[in-house]
Amino acid sequence: MGEQRSVKFPQEVVEEYAALGVDLHAMFSAGHLGTRMGVQIVEASAEKVVGTMPVEGNTQPYGLLHGGASAVLAETLGSVGSMLHGGISKIAVGVDLNCTHHRGARSGLVTGVATPVHRGRSTATYEIVITDEQDRRVCTARLTCLLRDAEGLKG
């Protein structure tokens, strides 16, 4: 857990960031929380973000995948999609997350797939479907991010 594999980004996105002197692969991660929870981003574009997370280490006292862990995976994936939609001049800030938990998971990996519901100038909304290794739906989430100007936010 914790070591981020190379993320598959669309080449045009990598080139856009590189033109501004930003190494997208070096910059990108699931964040400190996502890294501690073993979140791995497999594929990332504004149209689709795919990631996995182990159940082990992310359970509640009954041994089931913690609902909060599903929320972390969902927010991570939706935020990445929103960030890529907004481009280099915007940052994505989550403002609304809801999760419906359909079934428990006790072992293995869960996989989340985030797809856009709305991609506007100031907000982006993604639906995130999380499934177990048998492709059974564990959780359905929706995340809305505010797209803020990145200028002046670094430092």
Side-chain angles (χ1 to χ4, degrees):
M1 276 184 12
E3 188 176 307
Q4 187 72 25
R5 295 180 302 226
S6 181
V7 180
K8 180 181 151 194
F9 288 106
Q11 189 58 38
E12 64 273 10
V13 172
V14 172
E15 290 170 5
E16 175 189 3
Y17 281 78
L20 297 166
V22 176
D23 181 346
L24 188 60
H25 289 100
M27 176 184 87
F28 185 79
S29 77
H32 295 296
L33 178 60
T35 298
R36 277 197 310 271
M37 295 179 70
V39 173
Q40 297 288 325
I41 308 299
V42 176
E43 176 184 341
S45 72
E47 291 77 33
K48 180 180 175 184
V49 182
V50 180
T52 62
M53 181 180 67
V55 173
E56 184 179 342
N58 294 313
T59 58
Q60 38 89 312
Y62 297 115
L64 298 169
L65 178 65
H66 196 291
S70 293
V72 168
L73 178 60
E75 184 148 358
T76 300
L77 300 178
S79 293
V80 169
S82 296
M83 183 261 312
L84 291 171
H85 164 66
I88 195 77
S89 66
K90 300 282 187 178
I91 63 163
V93 180
V95 294
D96 182 63
L97 173 67
N98 72 63
C99 301
T100 300
H101 306 287
H102 305 294
R103 69 171 25 240
R106 291 187 179 275
S107 63
L109 286 177
V110 290
T111 300
V113 178
T115 54
V117 174
H118 167 77
R119 291 187 296 165
R121 287 179 296 156
S122 60
T123 63
T125 301
Y126 281 75
E127 177 183 61
I128 304 93
V129 174
I130 300 172
T131 56
D132 64 15
E133 291 182 353
Q134 289 74 44
D135 205 30
R136 298 176 298 192
R137 193 176 289 225
V138 173
C139 176
T140 304
R142 189 187 70 237
L143 173 71
T144 298
C145 287
L146 176 65
L147 301 174
R148 296 189 57 195
D149 289 333
E151 208 173 285
L153 292 174
K154 293 181 183 178

